[in-house]
Amino acid sequence: MRFRSCVLSATMLFAVTPGFAADQTVPGAGNANAAALAHRSPIVRSAFHFLLDQASRIKDAKLRKETLDAIGNPHTCVTHRAKLTDAKKDAIVQTLITQGLLNPTDAAGIQGGAKAGVFPPVLNENTACPQLPQPFFSAPGSAFPFGHHSYPGGLPVHESNNDVADVNLANEYRAVYGHTGRAGFPTIDEDDLGTQTRRDHDVDIFIDEDIILGAPIWHDWAKSIVFQWNADGSEFTELNFGGSGVNDNFGAPGDSRTGGHHIIGAAEAMSRGLSPAFVITQTCAHSAPTSGNEYKVVNWLRAAAILAQIDPVAQGYLYVDAHGNLRLPPLRRLDNNVNLNAGGQTNVLAEYTLHNLSDADFTYSGPALDSVLLLVQAIAPQFGFHSSDANYNNEFRNPVLSFLTGERLLIIYSEKGISGVTAEVQKLRDAGVI
């Protein structure tokens, strides 16, 4: 352990090459290079095909069709951007600001300002069918350099982990809360624990498997638009919005700002006419609407509806309560006599919390990438690279992470030390990847 500590201390001297302030009003100059790298990676390719397979299991025909189109069709239309003129974009940005859903100061570091943050460039801009600026499978999972899965193809890897987690969490709920014993009362079915729950005949509670399968795919879909690649292998800067950061809690102090990908993805789902239960679940990824956090989900839905140019109340995504506040609607309720303003919440579906929990892999993935970047920098000279090199990101950092992932490398390091990490990277040298 002493040797490993010395390695980490020494690598603190290295610095990740920062991305330059790219013009974010035009598609990323490094998108094609990132797509080529992601296409070569076995784990990225397998993750992408896994997501396509998961989407094909969705029973609802519309949700299945739209999900497969969104991630699998290389010419998919970004529907919420169809025929969107610059004047209309300006008006939408101003509406977000006026309604307290965007703080202009948060766009100070983005070339192109708030408009470029809310409307990152797409191909065939202003036409009836704008298209993704890069393939879904080449997008990263988060911000460069230290964000989780911040390498070409990190998005499908991240989403695969989350989709597995959501399915397993739903099965846990079914096994613990959804089995009735011989006396007619709920019992824990030990036969189901640790295995795939027999949903068709052994469970008497409803958790929508279509939503469980689809929500993790849709939640991060817009990262293919938001996190485009610069020529040096770094990424675009993401704009946080969905609140002003001041009095976002129905006029009381609160901060509901979140990553733009979250809101843009919900806007696209709304534009394609996906159901309230699905879109609200999708939008719960960054916060469950419980413990006083309902206002966050409400504000994200409000912002998404403005981008999608729809009325969220008319479409069933929100409703107006007795106090004039927009709230989450009470879906699937048969008894309409419950007073929603009497306290507590009767507008929460299990799917909301399950999806929120499934998005929590960043708690390991983020620190894993942070640590592994130091390890990779430490061994880079053995392979002819240094973190200050102009080609470091494109020819060493990104290929190592796209093929090996930060999570795998940190787990290997925890067991085998720096020599284990070096051996993994050597496989890439032997295969001609680096």
Side-chain angles (χ1 to χ4, degrees):
M1 291 302 296
R2 180 180 179 184
F3 172 71
R4 296 184 198 181
S5 297
C6 291
V7 169
L8 288 174
S9 297
T11 56
M12 290 299 290
L13 298 174
F14 295 96
V16 176
T17 304
F20 54 82
D23 181 358
Q24 294 188 193
T25 65
V26 295
N31 288 344
N33 183 63
L37 173 58
H39 183 71
R40 295 169 61 198
S41 166
I43 191 168
V44 172
R45 289 200 311 271
S46 60
F48 178 53
H49 288 297
F50 171 74
L51 291 175
L52 290 173
D53 184 64
Q54 291 292 85
S56 70
R57 293 174 53 204
I58 294 172
K59 294 180 180 179
D60 179 83
K62 179 173 178 58
L63 179 58
R64 181 177 65 250
K65 173 181 176 293
E66 298 294 347
T67 305
L68 287 170
D69 177 74
I71 68 173
N73 178 4
H75 304 295
T76 187
C77 297
V78 182
T79 59
H80 80 278
R81 297 282 293 272
K83 298 182 179 179
L84 202 59
T85 64
D86 283 342
K88 188 61 179 178
K89 291 177 186 177
D90 290 334
I92 288 173
V93 170
Q94 187 57 52
T95 299
L96 290 170
I97 294 171
T98 301
Q99 295 195 16
L101 296 171
L102 192 158
N103 189 331
T105 61
D106 291 330
I110 298 177
Q111 284 203 28
K115 185 160 72 172
V118 175
F119 300 105
V122 293
L123 304 181
N124 300 326
E125 191 83 61
N126 303 330
T127 69
C129 184
Q131 296 178 2
L132 296 178
Q134 65 176 317
F136 167 84
F137 66 77
S138 69
S142 190
F144 187 92
F146 297 111
H148 67 83
H149 302 90
S150 56
Y151 51 84
L155 177 58
V157 173
H158 172 57
E159 286 198 359
S160 292
N161 187 85
N162 289 0
D163 214 69
V164 170
D166 212 5
V167 169
N168 288 340
L169 285 164
N171 283 337
E172 289 175 18
Y173 266 52
R174 294 184 182 106
V176 174
Y177 302 111
H179 180 266
T180 302
R182 293 180 179 178
F185 298 107
T187 63
I188 293 177
D189 187 352
E190 296 185 12
D191 291 337
D192 285 342
L193 294 177
T195 63
Q196 183 161 338
T197 303
R198 299 186 297 277
R199 292 187 295 274
D200 292 339
H201 64 278
D202 198 36
V203 174
D204 58 6
I205 61 172
F206 178 70
I207 296 175
D208 193 322
E209 188 73 355
D210 284 352
I211 292 178
I212 294 298
L213 288 167
I217 296 174
W218 269 99
H219 156 56
D220 280 333
W221 170 85
K223 288 179 177 178
S224 55
I225 302 174
V226 170
F227 291 123
Q228 298 185 45
W229 294 99
N230 298 318
D232 70 345
S234 63
E235 302 171 23
F236 277 20
T237 299
E238 181 178 37
L239 174 66
N240 289 334
F241 63 107
S244 68
V246 184
N247 295 318
D248 296 342
N249 188 1
F250 302 112
D255 186 350
S256 60
R257 290 173 297 180
T258 194
H261 73 272
H262 187 60
I263 296 168
I264 294 170
E268 182 68 12
M270 287 178 174
S271 180
R272 292 179 183 237
L274 300 186
S275 73
F278 183 85
V279 176
I280 295 171
T281 300
Q282 171 189 343
T283 313
C284 287
H286 286 185
S287 179
T290 55
S291 303
N293 288 317
E294 183 184 357
Y295 76 94
K296 295 180 180 179
V297 181
V298 167
N299 286 344
W300 300 334
L301 290 166
R302 288 174 57 208
I306 291 170
L307 266 62
Q309 303 178 72
I310 61 138
D311 181 342
V313 174
Q315 299 300 320
Y317 299 114
L318 295 170
Y319 89 103
V320 182
D321 71 10
H323 303 288
N325 292 321
L326 289 169
R327 301 281 305 280
L328 298 185
L331 302 177
R332 298 183 191 155
R333 280 181 52 231
L334 298 178
D335 181 1
N336 292 319
N337 296 318
V338 177
N339 181 4
L340 295 177
N341 301 304
Q345 279 188 274
T346 59
N347 58 352
V348 178
L349 302 184
E351 290 88 342
Y352 300 169
T353 293
L354 294 173
H355 182 223
N356 175 250
L357 292 172
S358 77
D359 194 46
D361 84 312
F362 65 87
T363 56
Y364 183 76
S365 295
L369 193 109
D370 194 3
S371 299
V372 164
L373 282 177
L374 298 176
L375 300 173
V376 170
Q377 289 174 31
I379 65 175
Q382 300 178 46
F383 298 92
F385 295 93
H386 190 278
S387 61
S388 62
D389 296 340
N391 64 345
Y392 178 76
N393 291 329
N394 284 324
E395 296 187 18
F396 191 70
R397 177 203 185 272
N398 290 350
V400 167
L401 294 173
S402 291
F403 274 73
L404 302 176
T405 77
E407 296 83 353
R408 174 180 171 84
L409 289 176
L410 186 58
I411 293 171
I412 288 174
Y413 173 73
S414 301
E415 177 190 2
K416 300 178 181 179
I418 194 70
S419 63
V421 175
T422 304
E424 287 290 295
V425 176
Q426 182 62 45
K427 295 177 184 178
L428 301 181
R429 170 57 58 85
D430 295 341
V433 174
I434 58 173

